[in-house]
Amino acid sequence: MSHRRILFCAGTGCISSGALKTRDALVSELEKRGIRDQYEVVLSGCHGFCEQGPLLIVHPEDTFYCGVQPEDMAELIDEYLLNGRVVERLLYKDPVTGERTSDHMKIGFYAKQKRLVLHNCGVIDPENINEYIGTKGYEALKAALKMERTAIIDEVKRSGLRGRGGAGFPTGMKWEFTFKTPGDKKYIVCNADEGDPGAFMDRSVLEGDPHAVLEGMIIAGYAIGADEGYVYVRAEYPLAVKRLRIAITQAEEFGFLGSNIMGTGFNFKINIKEGAGAFVCGEETALLASIEGERGMPRPRPPFPAISGLWGKPTCLNNVETFANIPLIIREGADSFASVGTERSKGTKIFALTGKINNTGLAEVPMGMTMREIIFDIGGGIRDGKQFKAVQIGGPSGGCLPAELLDLPIDYDSLTQAGAMMGSGGLVVMDENTCMVDLARYFLTFTQNESCGKCTPCREGTKRMLEALERITEGKGESGDIPMLEELANSIKDSSLCGLGQTAPNPILSTLRYFRHEYEEHILEGKCSAGVCRNLVTYHIDAEKCTGCRACTRVCPVEAITGDKKQPHEINIQVCIKCGACMEKCKFDAVILK
Amino acid sequence: MSQVNLTINGIPVQAKAGMTILEAAKTVGIDIPTFCHDPELAKVGACRICVVEVAGARNLPAACTVPVAEGMVIQTETERVRAARKTILNLIWANHPQDCLVCEKTGSCKLQDYSYRYGVSGSIYKGQKKEIPFDDTNPFFFRDLNKCILCGKCVRKCHDINGVGAVDFMWRGFKTMVTTPFDVPIEESSCVFCGMCVDVCPVGALTPKQGLGQGRSFEVDKVFTTCPYCGCGCTLYLNVKNDKIVGVTPNFEGPINGHLCVKGRFGWDFVDSPDRLKTPLIKKGGQFVEAGWDEALDLVAEKFKEVRAQYGADALGGFSSARCTNEDNYLFQKLLRVLGTNNVDHCARL
Amino acid sequence: MKEALKCYTEDPFDYGPVDSVLAKYKDQKGATIPILQAVQDEYGYLPYQALERIAKVLKVPFSRIFGVATFFAQFHLQPRGENIIRVCLGTACHVRGGAKIVEKLQEILQLDVGGTTADRKFTLESVACIGACGLAPVMMINNDTFGRLTTQKLAGIIENYGKETE
């Protein structure tokens, strides 16, 4: 029997779903049968399909099992591994067709993806450098070290790669500026302070393929003439930090990092800095301040970090996904890279699909794919057969786009034009039960909380916008609130110091642009159609659906529900405190909102 | 240094490369409002009141931080700029007490001046306001952080100029405040009460205690003088109303320091103190009695002679004051040597 | 806010841990944040005396150290519970009902967000996103992640960490 490889996804998602326990069960079952040595059991990085975790993939045939529990392992070995009979019930079931699929790449979630940056994620053991080297790892570095520095920069420029962190600044130009700034000491900084709620691609890349990021950084260091780099990682990502540390040690042992790299005389070292919990540190100047040990308050630009960055030295900052693209560009060539994507946005982009969508997870797609393809083909559509309402792109700095824009090809420019932005690539899908005013309120709560407090428009303005939204969602809105919000939002956008403040009004401006009627409905009619804003809804019992089972009366904390056994119940809306306990408890969907 | 050509409000301007828009505008007499800017301090671009419109820029950059560039076309008072400034003023007012009638700063308050300039009368925004207890625990100044607009000038003065660093920003976002570690009263902090922070505060958050209610800035005459406290010779302005000193303003342009210390800044009340000695006093029969200078000096000379005759010249010693000038001190040691002793010292040496 | 600043001091204060952290990082550039992190790991929070000592050794004004300590969400100026419950309120969790999870936890623990139980067993916090959006709604207790939460599951989970339910 040939040597087989069993991969367990060991991303944060699958680990919290119990992947390690299932792995232990598999190993012990294999041992029991005395066949442990015939199988290679590997913990890989994230496969992106967190929704279905824990995930298990058997190579070479690439059979994909999901939701695997420790008690399933005996059956999996006896049926599948030993006898080749696929365990149907552990296969992925398409939420729409109900069909089960065993072939990994035929699953809708994966079929339309183009996994270039993620090609190693979920395939190799991220804690073993040999596996990375086995998939052409560090070949780009070898090639780059033989190139002229300017030739590397030209190659990156020609590839058309734009920063994956949000604003989409051309990476090659950034490198060139830093290269051209004179200085005896320069720094490379990798921004891994992925703070956008609803985005976790950087985390997955760091957890699943840390060497790709390191390789990108080393190449950047060589190209711009830096000998030191920092990775600034969120402290909330302990697994990413751990794998990065292992990767750095291994790269040093193999001579890809440290002094005299691969005998070329080039020195480069990489330090890890763990963040301490501040969203604004994703902003480059705030990030630098934080590395220097200061409060993470943004500094005015110019001077840009390329001129005066970390400790006043020329510094090139890129985000994780950007660096992970670099080995690919150098190895495969700029032309090959630029053949994917749109006119002005090249390559692929990793999106984090979350919210009311069937297939939550990470998907890497070519730039220019439409939102419809991403949400419906890859994402498997909306949960529970509900209606698509909107998608929030780019986190708290981004915007909400409505169903009319589903066929918009996604790239940097189309999104900005539509009032959203690429941001880090979070895609949060909303259905008919999402209130857009409440969503705007949610984002403002976030940005207001994360405002560093330095500049007036952001510190004071986000607070006032949030208060206005709170009033509206509580049914206390006034007709002047909409123009006031618009004016305030535009001034904040115009006059704030950093990107956080300048983009903080986006969720309001975009929801006002596409869902103005929801604001008007809240203010003028005192109604929340989505049934989210507690002050604006009342709970009722649908007499036709109610069976009189009494389940609701038992959970109601204020005894607002009355009715005889086996007779339809009623809610006294004067007494009801709208806690929603009855609705959650009812098995017959008889509790409704009006 | 090389020159760049630009236009501000249609006026062609030639500015030195490296100058900020704010500085270039000043050279042609265009005034751009500022709260957090101070030529002596690091540029932070925090208050945003100085935003201007630069052709081709997406947002409104801050004039105090952006350097001029060749061919720049700048407008400092367009509708868009005015709208942003009004919003900023309205936002400040939404979180600022409206008690100008009794505020000591009235008349020299930038918030008032710009509100007047842009026609902002209190805030159009309602909501939560800061409620920070008033700090009057020290003898020198009041600290009303509810009036603080977080321009951070006091922080930069305290850290970068004075080097004490008694206060800094703490917390973040809407909760941000400038205060001492663990928010202890300023008197319990490392503050040395130089008053630099009071001098640069653009609003009424930091105001001197002395002179409270005794004169608005537009009612006082400024009398230029030299601080009498030590030989440094810092110059300052006495703020005088009806022939009474009601305050002191440092002479920021002065060749010496430009700042004052706690004594020069706050120690002027001796001038009109009823306890002040105005004539020499001689103890007669156990009581101090007022005397004339001739009588007093004769007495001193007589006693010196007696001591020298009885115990020798080295029984005499002279102790001079830091309040004297260098010249005074020179003459003083000369006098002691003429008396025959080298026993001369000075309080600043201790 | 004043309450948060109540000065927690231990008397006599054990300077051992802070001094050994300082000895390790003293010569590193920009080490303020790693030092604060390490000191918090030692004491569970940032005591007044430790901050004062850090300022003194680094030759930085106390106010600056304090400013950094209050800027970042990770740092705490008062002791916290044995178990830290962090409920994710990221976007994905928000649209899938994270707020209800917080409410239920507040009810179970009788705590406000940011508070610590009287027996110092639990501290309840919210976090902007822990990047496990696939499992929304999510919470972390110490370093364990719990996903696909429902309000019904909470009491059972908390019980495993030593909360007696009545």
Side-chain angles (χ1 to χ4, degrees), chain A residues 176-190:
Chain A
E176 192 169 43
F177 289 148
T178 324
F179 171 72
K180 285 189 173 161
T181 309
D184 50 340
K185 174 92 185 171
K186 295 181 187 180
Y187 291 100
I188 298 288
V189 175
C190 174

Side-chain angles (χ1 to χ4, degrees), chain A residues 236-296:
Chain A
E236 288 87 345
Y237 286 2
L239 186 60
V241 173
K242 178 188 152 209
R243 293 207 172 134
L244 211 45
R245 283 195 204 285
I246 295 172
I248 289 174
T249 312
Q250 291 180 344
E252 281 166 353
E253 280 163 15
F254 277 67
F256 299 127
L257 250 184
S259 308
N260 191 19
I261 292 172
M262 295 162 86
T264 57
F266 168 59
N267 308 322
F268 194 72
K269 71 169 188 176
I270 294 181
N271 313 298
I272 297 177
K273 282 267 177 180
E274 283 183 61
F279 174 70
V280 68
C281 289
E283 198 277 343
E284 57 181 16
T285 57
L287 187 150
L288 296 178
S290 168
I291 295 183
E292 291 170 11
E294 303 282 336
R295 288 166 63 88

